[in-house]
Amino acid sequence: MINIYQDQLAHAGNLQNPSEKLTFLTSILRSLLQLCGTTSLEVVKELTPTDDPALDELIERFRTPSDGLPIQILDKTVSIIRSYVDARFLSGWFEPTAKCTICISKQLQDWVEFRNTFSAHGVLDQTKTREWSEKTHSLIVSCIDVFKQAIPECEPDEKLKISFGKKDLYIQTPLLINSHAVVISKVIQKPSGWKMKVQLLSNTKSEIKTIDLCDSNVFANLENVTEIYKIVEVYNNETEQILEHNIPKRQTDNFEGRENEITLLKDWLEDEDSRRCLIYGDGGYGKTTLVLEALNLLLEGALDIKRELPSVICYYTAKKTRWTSEGITYFTSVEPVIEESIRELLKCLFTVLPPEWYKISGRALVDKAANELKNNKFSRDDVLIILDNTETLATTSQQTKELARLIELIGKTLGRVIITSRRQEGIEAKQILIEGLSDSECVNLLKSLAKEHDAESISKAGEANLRKVSNKLMKKPILLEALAVYIGRAKVGIDQALENLYRKSNDELLEFLYEDAWERISHLQKEAFYVIVSLTCPLDKYSVSRACQLVEIQHSEFQASLSETHFSTITDYGSHYELELADLAHRFFKKKLSEQPENTQDRIQSLATEVDQYSSKRHDIEQAYRKDRVAEAFRNEYAKAAKVESDKGNTSLAIEMYELAIEEDPLNSALHDRFAWLLLNKAELFDKAKDMAKKAIKLNPQNCDAVVTLALTYYRLDEMEVADSYIDDSVTLGRPLSFALLRKAIARFYKARSLTDTDIKQAVQLNQEARNMLTKAEKQNSLKDGYDAKNLVSIQRHQQFLLKQASKLERMIKKQLIDS
């Protein structure tokens, strides 16, 4: 790829306009830095034993990269790679060379400072433009020279490879597209998997591309267990506020119009007196889409609410089912569903709800929840609850009255409530009616959808024609999308498509689309649908992925067939998703399955049973794992602020916040443990971390997390026997034996490494002990998913590292014998 960058650099040199030249040179340097940052991360992931929390934070921030971020990543990764892989990796990064009297990292820091001071936040005059055009050109030449080891070679089919001696490493991240280098805009996790949005590095046609990434990509977190609530910092009304939420992501990238409805919702959020807001309208007009758009705007600080935001936002989709260890439980009345929404809210306080919350119901549950929120300093104005699709809960007049009573009770005692429904529910609330889009909004939406689905006849149509089409389809976003999807797939004209869609009811339209899509998807995609429709467990990222695995189809390929039409509703939380098949789609797939031979039906049922068992086991593992989590640590505002600052990498400020949090909550064992973890892993204040972990254990001797933190601290202080004893205690308190053996083995690996030059005999002994421990750990690690997945990966990686270390020690011993 060096030739690609050199060609682009030559092209930039031929540009006559200084401003245009500097802009393109900046893009080249940005692309080059992102490339080397990514390849170095892949080297660290595949070839080193490093598990650095600070590097994890940088990787998370790299998903939306700034210009300075790859430099921070290279500062970390170059040191790691030099320690484990190649001592001369990127020579010139930290140190001056014959060609560069000032090291490249320092020159790049000066470039970032220039970008921040003049280009991004200041005024860039003509003199600075000319000066930095020359400097940036020279800097790219120097970077290409220093980065040679990190810039991959191109093989056929655009495979990328870097080499260390005789060892080749193939780069998994697609950094070469259509013979172009790329600039990474964003990396996101969607229900269909990881996506990377890039622009081609070109001064003539910088196309935007969205590329699929594998599940094990360098940006992904190996941790499968996801927290239900996220703690975020939101800038609103010229102040920063910390809030907790479980808001899903937007449902569409083509949101159009609805300014008036969003304004009405914003007005309600600012109204201190109103407790309930009802958003209602016919199906297909986009009630849920509107709510999620508004809530995501709020999280981004784009709504600018003229009052303090709620501290907790709980989103709950009304369902008449609940997943338990016994499978799906069906509710026959309104009350249990509303009670589930209250329990969902309380998960902002409890990682796993204690059993007593399931033993009470009705008014007793509401009162207990209100008291618990009050005890945690939440007023009813601090809580916002969203109940989505409430029309599914009540079909009779009696159920409708019961639903209205419960919503009114929640609004009075727990928090403010937003309700979405197809009905105009009989409750006292601010009412926002969702009707069809305006003519201009429909035209804009159709144009966006045409571009997304390659619906050529819509793209070529005039505005007047698109207005007529919108009116025929009742200005419903769902029908406009159906039209664009159908035209994009069938490659037909608008009139021909309307002949098939016009005058059909919603159900008839969907059934037509199902039949049409069914004929277009592959045999394996159909089998995946057969399995999914036969499941009793919830349809989420894990059960759907397992079904795809058994059918032997890629998860992303199945997701492509799912997006063909409105088979389902997907609630996307980013790191995970929930999927709910439409009733009509469920009946459609059942019918198709019943038409299959009996032996096929038996095989599908067998696969479905296996997925159900997997899901049940994973549910139990995840619940057990979450019991070890420390959500109770972040009960007060200082603690939440400490977590936010820690996640952002502001370690010194996080320490200040933790100290204030402990002053306010001095008996919180989990809080002390989280502070100890920060001091150990990020601040590297080992003695202070030890004292804090001991305090956590004193407050709660059963705090397994604190015991592990103290053990790891003693390992860092080189007190292995003491550390081993605490690791053994963690097993007594519930940690898996494989985890304990892994931690002991890692400690011995690093100890042996430190003794290589002073005591080879002891280093060999420690290496052998560690290898034996990992062998036992792998045997003990019988579960290959959930809680143990990350441990298993680490066990297998360290087995390789220990073998390499043993080989090196053996060579050193032979050399000593020869010399003696």
Side-chain angles (χ1 to χ4, degrees):
M1 288 187 70
I2 288 178
N3 292 337
I4 292 174
Y5 283 104
Q6 289 175 334
D7 289 345
Q8 294 299 324
L9 188 59
H11 176 76
N14 293 328
L15 297 175
Q16 299 301 314
N17 185 303
S19 182
E20 182 183 356
K21 182 176 181 180
L22 178 58
T23 299
F24 189 52
L25 285 169
T26 299
S27 298
I28 296 172
L29 185 52
R30 184 182 294 124
S31 172
L32 184 59
L33 286 170
Q34 290 179 353
L35 172 100
C36 295
T38 304
T39 56
S40 67
L41 284 171
E42 293 210 20
V43 173
V44 169
K45 178 182 175 182
E46 297 298 327
L47 303 180
T48 77
T50 299
D51 189 13
D52 187 343
L55 195 56
D56 291 339
E57 287 178 11
L58 292 172
I59 291 172
E60 187 169 344
R61 288 167 55 201
F62 199 15
R63 295 173 192 169
T64 309
S66 63
D67 284 343
L69 192 56
I71 300 170
Q72 296 178 48
I73 288 173
L74 286 165
D75 276 340
K76 279 276 184 186
T77 55
V78 169
S79 297
I80 295 168
I81 294 169
R82 286 185 182 184
S83 298
Y84 292 103
V85 183
D86 184 345
R88 300 296 299 163
F89 182 71
L90 300 199
S91 179
W93 177 257
F94 293 118
E95 58 280 294
T97 62
K99 293 183 179 180
C100 296
T101 56
I102 301 175
C103 68
I104 285 295
S105 60
K106 175 63 171 65
Q107 293 185 54
L108 287 168
Q109 289 293 353
D110 293 342
W111 172 74
V112 171
E113 185 177 343
F114 154 73
R115 293 272 303 143
N116 291 335
T117 304
F118 295 99
S119 297
H121 305 292
V123 177
L124 184 59
D125 59 30
Q126 294 182 4
T127 303
K128 283 287 182 186
T129 299
R130 286 191 294 270
E131 176 191 348
W132 275 95
S133 290
E134 296 175 5
K135 284 186 177 181
T136 306
H137 187 283
S138 176
L139 183 55
I140 294 171
V141 172
S142 298
C143 283
I144 290 174
D145 182 62
V146 171
F147 291 166
K148 283 179 180 176
Q149 287 176 285
I151 300 175
E153 299 175 25
C154 302
E155 292 198 342
D157 299 326
E158 297 193 337
K159 289 184 178 179
L160 302 178
K161 178 185 75 174
I162 56 177
S163 303
F164 295 95
K166 295 182 179 180
K167 183 165 184 62
D168 294 335
L169 176 67
Y170 284 91
I171 302 302
Q172 299 299 314
T173 310
L175 299 169
L176 181 67
I177 299 172
N178 299 336
S179 300
H180 283 79
V182 300
V183 175
I184 300 171
S185 303
K186 184 178 289 187
V187 178
I188 53 176
Q189 187 179 20
K190 289 195 167 187
S192 54
W194 287 87
K195 310 283 184 183
M196 184 170 73
K197 190 173 182 179
V198 303
Q199 278 187 277
L200 303 187
L201 182 62
S202 170
N203 193 44
T204 55
K205 193 175 182 182
S206 57
E207 295 180 67
I208 297 174
K209 301 280 188 181
T210 300
I211 312 298
D212 290 327
L213 300 178
C214 62
D215 288 340
S216 59
N217 68 81
V218 75
F219 303 99
N221 187 349
L222 287 172
E223 183 57 76
N224 280 328
V225 179
T226 53
E227 296 295 340
I228 296 172
Y229 279 81
K230 297 177 183 176
I231 302 175
V232 297
E233 195 171 28
V234 176
Y235 187 80
N236 177 73
N237 199 20
E238 299 183 353
T239 60
E240 290 185 344
Q241 184 181 343
I242 295 168
L243 60 84
E244 297 177 67
H245 74 91
N246 66 344
I247 300 170
K249 290 191 171 186
R250 291 175 168 87
Q251 285 197 332
T252 179
D253 294 328
N254 295 308
F255 188 83
E256 185 64 43
R258 301 299 189 198
E259 288 89 355
N260 182 55
E261 290 86 349
I262 289 179
T263 300
L264 290 172
L265 183 56
K266 177 178 179 290
D267 291 342
W268 177 80
L269 289 167
E270 293 176 341
D271 185 349
E272 297 183 7
D273 297 322
S274 181
R275 305 297 304 166
R276 291 166 292 277
C277 178
L278 172 64
I279 299 174
Y280 71 100
D282 192 16
Y285 281 130
K287 298 178 293 296
T288 301
T289 302
L290 169 73
V291 170
L292 291 182
E293 177 70 21
L295 291 174
N296 277 279
L297 287 172
L298 184 148
L299 292 179
E300 293 162 2
L303 274 191
D304 197 27
I305 306 299
K306 302 302 181 186
R307 61 170 290 186
E308 190 173 355
L309 296 177
S311 299
V312 176
I313 302 179
C314 173
Y315 178 90
Y316 184 79
T317 300
K319 299 176 184 176
K320 283 203 168 185
T321 60
R322 177 165 63 88
W323 171 249
T324 68
S325 56
E326 287 77 34
I328 288 287
T329 299
Y330 292 87
F331 299 129
T332 56
S333 64
V334 175
E335 196 167 86
V337 184
I338 297 297
E339 290 168 0
E340 280 302 303
S341 71
I342 295 171
R343 295 186 181 105
E344 189 75 13
L345 167 64
L346 289 166
K347 289 176 183 176
C348 73
L349 303 176
F350 302 94
T351 310
V352 176
L353 278 181
E356 61 263 24
W357 289 98
Y358 296 97
K359 296 176 181 178
I360 57 174
S361 59
R363 184 60 189 253
L365 175 64
V366 175
D367 290 343
K368 184 176 174 64
N371 287 332
E372 190 66 38
L373 290 167
K374 185 178 179 180
N375 292 338
N376 283 276
K377 312 302 185 205
F378 291 120
S379 72
R380 63 180 195 149
D381 289 328
D382 290 328
V383 176
L384 175 62
I385 303 168
I386 296 93
L387 297 175
D388 194 23
N389 299 324
T390 57
E391 77 279 349
T392 62
L393 303 182
T395 54
T396 67
S397 59
Q398 181 58 39
Q399 287 179 332
T400 304
K401 290 178 183 177
E402 182 186 2
L403 175 64
R405 178 184 63 82
L406 290 169
I407 291 174
E408 184 177 1
L409 179 62
I410 290 173
K412 285 181 178 179
T413 56
L414 296 181
R416 306 180 78 195
V417 187
I418 296 174
I419 309 106
T420 74
S421 177
R422 294 188 180 188
R423 291 189 304 257
Q424 190 173 5
E425 306 284 4
I427 58 174
E428 183 183 346
K430 173 161 183 176
Q431 302 195 358
I432 302 175
L433 173 62
I434 306 299
E435 297 181 294
L437 297 171
S438 69
D439 286 343
S440 60
E441 290 168 351
C442 288
V443 170
N444 291 336
L445 178 59
L446 278 171
K447 288 180 177 178
S448 297
L449 291 168
K451 185 176 181 181
E452 180 180 348
H453 298 288
D454 194 22
E456 187 175 354
S457 58
I458 294 178
S459 300
K460 292 181 177 179
E463 186 171 323
N465 193 12
L466 294 180
R467 287 173 182 264
K468 290 179 182 178
V469 170
S470 303
N471 285 314
K472 287 181 179 180
L473 295 177
M474 298 171 285
K475 300 181 180 179
K476 282 191 175 185
I478 189 174
L479 299 184
L480 298 178
E481 183 179 354
L483 178 72
V485 170
Y486 178 72
I487 291 174
R489 286 201 317 267
K491 303 302 179 187
V492 297
I494 293 177
D495 291 339
Q496 185 179 343
L498 282 174
E499 284 180 16
N500 291 314
L501 303 183
Y502 187 44
R503 292 179 181 173
K504 291 180 182 288
S505 68
N506 282 356
D507 282 357
E508 288 172 335
L509 170 64
L510 289 174
E511 188 165 10
F512 163 75
L513 287 172
Y514 297 158
E515 285 285 1
D516 182 73
W518 189 255
E519 296 303 318
R520 297 174 181 276
I521 63 178
S522 69
H523 171 70
L524 289 178
Q525 289 171 329
K526 291 176 181 177
E527 288 218 331
F529 279 116
Y530 291 150
V531 173
I532 285 171
V533 80
S534 304
L535 297 178
T536 59
C537 66
L539 300 182
D540 57 21
K541 169 184 174 181
Y542 304 106
S543 58
V544 173
S545 178
R546 181 62 172 171
C548 292
Q549 184 181 1
L550 294 177
V551 173
E552 298 182 352
I553 181 176
Q554 287 191 351
H555 193 177
S556 57
E557 185 182 347
F558 171 74
Q559 287 288 347
S561 65
L562 193 64
S563 63
E564 283 284 320
T565 186
H566 296 275
F567 286 155
S568 63
T569 300
I570 295 179
T571 306
D572 178 9
Y573 296 94
S575 58
H576 64 292
Y577 67 85
E578 296 174 358
L579 183 150
E580 191 169 8
L581 288 176
D583 288 341
L584 189 64
H586 194 278
R587 296 196 299 270
F588 176 82
F589 297 136
K590 279 286 190 184
K591 176 186 173 185
K592 290 295 183 184
L593 178 58
S594 67
E595 295 170 356
Q596 297 301 306
E598 189 173 339
N599 62 336
T600 299
Q601 294 185 43
D602 291 342
R603 181 172 59 83
I604 293 297
Q605 187 55 55
S606 174
L607 295 177
T609 301
E610 187 171 342
V611 175
D612 282 332
Q613 291 173 348
Y614 167 86
S615 219
S616 179
K617 182 172 70 173
R618 192 188 182 286
H619 176 267
D620 293 341
I621 291 169
E622 185 170 315
Q623 291 299 93
Y625 180 82
R626 282 189 171 145
K627 287 176 183 176
D628 289 335
R629 304 296 280 174
V630 289
E632 64 269 23
F634 306 109
R635 293 192 297 216
N636 64 53
E637 290 301 312
Y638 288 124
K640 292 171 186 175
K643 187 178 191 305
V644 170
E645 296 304 331
S646 175
D647 291 342
K648 289 162 63 176
N650 298 334
T651 302
S652 59
L653 187 54
I655 290 174
E656 292 179 23
M657 291 296 103
Y658 268 119
E659 288 171 344
L660 291 170
I662 286 175
E663 286 182 20
E664 187 172 315
D665 197 0
L667 301 181
N668 189 331
S669 172
L671 177 59
H672 283 77
D673 168 58
R674 289 300 85 194
F675 190 16
W677 184 93
L678 177 86
L679 295 167
L680 170 65
N681 291 288
K682 297 186 179 180
E684 297 189 349
L685 300 172
F686 303 141
D687 289 323
K688 191 171 181 179
K690 179 181 70 174
D691 294 340
M692 198 60 58
K694 284 184 174 180
K695 182 68 180 295
I697 295 170
K698 184 178 180 181
L699 290 169
N700 179 11
Q702 302 302 309
N703 188 337
C704 186
D705 290 308
V707 171
V708 171
T709 302
L710 184 57
L712 298 180
T713 305
Y714 273 118
Y715 281 133
R716 298 293 287 273
L717 291 169
D718 201 20
E719 298 184 44
M720 190 174 293
E721 290 185 9
V722 180
D724 285 348
S725 68
Y726 279 106
I727 284 291
D728 291 337
D729 290 345
S730 75
V731 176
T732 306
L733 293 173
R735 277 289 190 272
L737 180 58
S738 61
F739 167 83
L741 292 167
L742 170 62
R743 298 316 309 184
K744 289 181 178 181
I746 291 174
R748 282 155 176 77
F749 168 75
Y750 282 106
K751 180 67 174 177
R753 185 165 168 260
S754 69
L755 294 172
T756 302
D757 297 327
T758 57
D759 192 341
I760 294 182
K761 186 175 180 181
Q762 188 181 356
V764 170
Q765 182 181 343
L766 288 168
N767 177 277
Q768 187 60 54
E769 286 179 17
R771 287 161 61 192
N772 292 340
M773 287 173 175
L774 289 186
T775 301
K776 293 178 183 177
E778 190 173 26
K779 291 178 180 178
Q780 288 290 330
N781 195 309
S782 57
L783 297 171
K784 303 299 188 289
D785 51 68
Y787 182 77
D788 289 337
K790 190 172 183 178
N791 285 345
L792 182 61
V793 171
S794 192
I795 288 168
Q796 292 170 343
R797 287 175 66 197
H798 280 87
Q799 284 175 328
Q800 296 298 310
F801 300 140
L802 284 160
L803 285 172
K804 291 179 183 178
Q805 188 182 66
S807 176
K808 179 180 179 181
L809 290 169
E810 186 177 345
R811 290 195 302 272
M812 292 177 69
I813 290 173
K814 286 180 179 177
K815 187 176 183 300
Q816 280 188 349
L817 291 173
I818 292 170
D819 292 343
S820 61

